[in-house]
Amino acid sequence: MRVSRAVDAVIEFLEAEQARGVTHVLLDEEAREGLRNLYRAAAKGGRKPATPAVSHAVPQTAPAAPTVLSVPGDGTKATRLAALHEQAQHWQPAQALGTLRETMVFATGNPDAKLMLVGEAPGYEEERKREPFVGPAGQKLTRILQTMGLSRDEVYLSNIVKFRPAMARQATNNRKPSPEEMAACLPFIRAEVDIVRPACIVALGGTAAEGLLGLTGQVGSMRGSWHEFAGIPVRVTYHPSYLLHSERDLTPKRQLWEDMLAVMERLEMPISEKQRGFFQSQSR
Ligand code: URA
């Protein structure tokens, strides 16, 4: 019992560190010996030793994993994206971190899309279905797209990080990717943008804006104007999960809709009176 409490305390401490963005913990020899003793006592007492935080991480010894992305110059957009997809499955820089789960979730939608939307990383549902934006936040995004007059098949949906970030004792809970995890996967989103060449990109949430544009701070200070990535105009707006968590606050909803109207204008999409006034009718 005492051992299991001590193990739980260590896990709790590591989770708290992880929650505040710490990705590495320095252990001196004394601390390491303490952990070894805990491990031995837990094993002796019949308690299964605590599962390490990286238990779902990609095996670090996968054979012949690529470290340099090879972006095909020839072929259709679909075949070039398929070549990226293939390389992402065994992407060594992501595997080497040991903090990402094994299942790779690439992108979905139209390789010829005019609009590309970029999120942070797959979550529980996305990992299960191997498709980006299919969980609650994804369903919200699908409704937003429908209000714009677009289907998921018309746009290109992707994430900065292609694997669900791992957590200790993870069930359906998700976490934001760390800067290291984003850096490891960045070659993919860069190559995807280069292949799809959309007319406009939407970065969904602060993490996507940080990964794509290097911006830090509040989404409120990034949204409402145009940025640029690889020569393509980028609009930053709230992540749909933020709207789900602030159901009563109408301001982010109104602002997200303003951002989407700006995107529609940029894409020269027709905008009906109903769409222009959509938010007013919702808030009444
Ligand atoms: N949140 C994201 O940022 N991406 C997904 O694919 C799902 C949820």
Side-chain angles (χ1 to χ4, degrees), residues 119-123 126 131-135 137-138 158-159 204 239:
E120 51 190 40
E126 287 74 25
E131 183 175 336
F133 285 106
V134 288
S158 195
N159 281 308
L204 295 162
H239 193 285

Side-chain angles (χ1 to χ4, degrees), residues 236-281:
V236 178
T237 195
Y238 295 103
H239 193 285
S241 69
Y242 181 69
L243 300 196
L244 291 177
H245 293 124
S246 56
E247 275 297 338
R248 288 184 183 187
D249 186 359
L250 295 179
T251 308
K253 289 197 182 79
R254 180 175 48 75
Q255 292 180 334
L256 179 138
W257 186 241
E258 282 167 12
D259 293 328
M260 292 312 193
L261 286 174
V263 167
M264 290 172 75
E265 273 167 15
R266 186 96 197 195
L267 295 176
E268 298 180 357
M269 289 171 65
I271 304 180
S272 68
E273 280 312 303
K274 190 170 169 204
Q275 283 170 321
R276 273 211 194 278
F278 174 75
F279 195 80
Q280 275 75 19
S281 67

Side-chain angles (χ1 to χ4, degrees), residues 105-106 118-127 131-138 141 157-161 174 177 204 207-208 239-241:
V105 181
F106 200 67
V118 180
E120 51 190 40
Y124 170 75
E125 281 296 337
E126 287 74 25
E127 182 185 62
E131 183 175 336
F133 285 106
V134 288
L141 180 62
L157 293 171
S158 195
N159 281 308
I160 302 274
V161 173
N174 302 313
L204 295 162
T207 311
H239 193 285
S241 69

Side-chain angles (χ1 to χ4, degrees), residues 112-228:
D112 287 309
K114 295 231 174 317
L115 176 59
M116 178 170 187
L117 298 106
V118 180
E120 51 190 40
Y124 170 75
E125 281 296 337
E126 287 74 25
E127 182 185 62
R128 218 164 61 82
K129 301 198 176 129
R130 296 180 183 228
E131 183 175 336
F133 285 106
V134 288
Q139 288 159 21
K140 181 89 184 163
L141 180 62
T142 304
R143 289 195 295 276
I144 294 166
L145 290 170
Q146 281 164 353
T147 311
M148 295 168 77
L150 293 167
S151 71
R152 284 171 67 92
D153 296 341
E154 286 174 275
V155 301
Y156 185 88
L157 293 171
S158 195
N159 281 308
I160 302 274
V161 173
K162 308 302 188 202
F163 306 85
R164 182 177 170 213
M167 294 170 78
R169 291 177 298 175
Q170 193 163 19
T172 56
N173 45 336
N174 302 313
R175 70 166 168 85
K176 281 180 189 298
S178 68
E180 290 79 8
E181 290 163 346
M182 290 200 277
C185 291
L186 265 183
F188 287 97
I189 199 72
R190 285 208 188 101
E192 289 167 83
V193 169
D194 213 40
I195 292 171
V196 177
R197 295 305 298 171
C200 180
I201 299 173
V202 173
L204 295 162
T207 311
E210 183 182 339
L212 214 51
L213 304 166
L215 298 175
T216 53
Q218 302 292 313
V219 172
S221 66
M222 305 170 191
R223 62 160 296 280
S225 60
W226 289 100
H227 305 266
E228 201 182 285

